[in-house]
Amino acid sequence: MTMACEAEDIISASPGSIQALPHFFQKRIAKDYETRVFVHEGEAHAFRVESQVIPQTKVDWRYGSTFLPFEPCEAPEAIKKACQVFLRRFSLFYGSFDFIVDPDGEWWFLECNQDGQWIWLDNACDHEITRTFAAAIARRLQPEHAV
């Protein structure tokens, strides 16, 4: 889970406390909302997450994953293409990409979960993810894809 911290906290921390566990530190980015983009074999399904509506989810929407609405939205073409390139370069079949969208509308990449969950999003798009995911798996089972 993501937590906010101040530079002074990092500077004053003992080396042992920082080295005890893996950490990722990044600049705080102002959020308008967040997105989860599920991508596989040319398909992209984006969902807007209104993470800024309640205090508990302002830093990390996962604190409200059971009650925040996830609404289908359109990701910019450049984002969809970048996600496809990412998957190809890392030889991944699919990925769940998380982004912050700032108040100016700029998309900021956070991470790609190579086995990221998506089933709870399927209801919001009339099960389109399941259908396209199943079709992609079926294509891979065809003889021309056999290893």
Side-chain angles (χ1 to χ4, degrees):
M1 303 299 273
T2 303
M3 298 181 304
C5 64
E6 300 301 326
E8 301 81 45
D9 296 330
I10 299 168
I11 293 166
S12 66
S14 70
S17 66
I18 297 284
Q19 294 169 352
L21 298 168
H23 295 77
F24 294 99
F25 297 102
Q26 82 176 52
K27 173 180 126 176
R28 187 174 298 159
I29 301 164
K31 298 178 185 179
D32 187 21
Y33 60 94
E34 295 178 66
T35 63
R36 163 68 56 110
V37 183
F38 177 75
V39 182
H40 64 95
E41 292 193 348
E43 299 286 336
H45 303 277
F47 298 88
R48 181 179 173 127
V49 185
E50 294 294 347
S51 60
Q52 302 307 288
V53 297
I54 60 171
Q56 296 90 326
T57 60
K58 285 185 179 264
V59 173
D60 190 330
W61 64 258
R62 293 172 295 180
Y63 288 111
S65 62
T66 58
F67 58 83
L68 281 176
F70 290 79
E71 297 293 329
C73 68
E74 190 61 37
E77 281 303 314
I79 295 294
K80 291 191 268 189
K81 287 179 182 175
C83 291
Q84 292 291 347
V85 169
F86 186 103
L87 293 178
R88 279 193 304 277
R89 289 206 178 143
F90 287 95
S91 300
L92 299 173
F93 175 65
Y94 76 95
S96 292
F97 292 82
D98 292 326
F99 293 89
I100 289 171
V101 181
D102 72 19
D104 295 325
E106 187 168 346
W107 286 52
W108 295 82
F109 172 77
L110 295 176
E111 65 179 334
C112 173
N113 299 288
Q114 72 274 12
D115 57 354
Q117 298 177 27
W118 53 270
I119 197 69
W120 90 95
L121 299 170
D122 210 28
N123 290 334
C125 65
D126 194 29
H127 307 286
E128 184 64 24
I129 297 173
T130 296
R131 284 193 293 277
T132 59
F133 194 72
I137 291 172
R139 281 192 301 276
R140 288 191 169 227
L141 294 174
Q142 297 301 313
E144 64 268 14
H145 283 76
V147 177

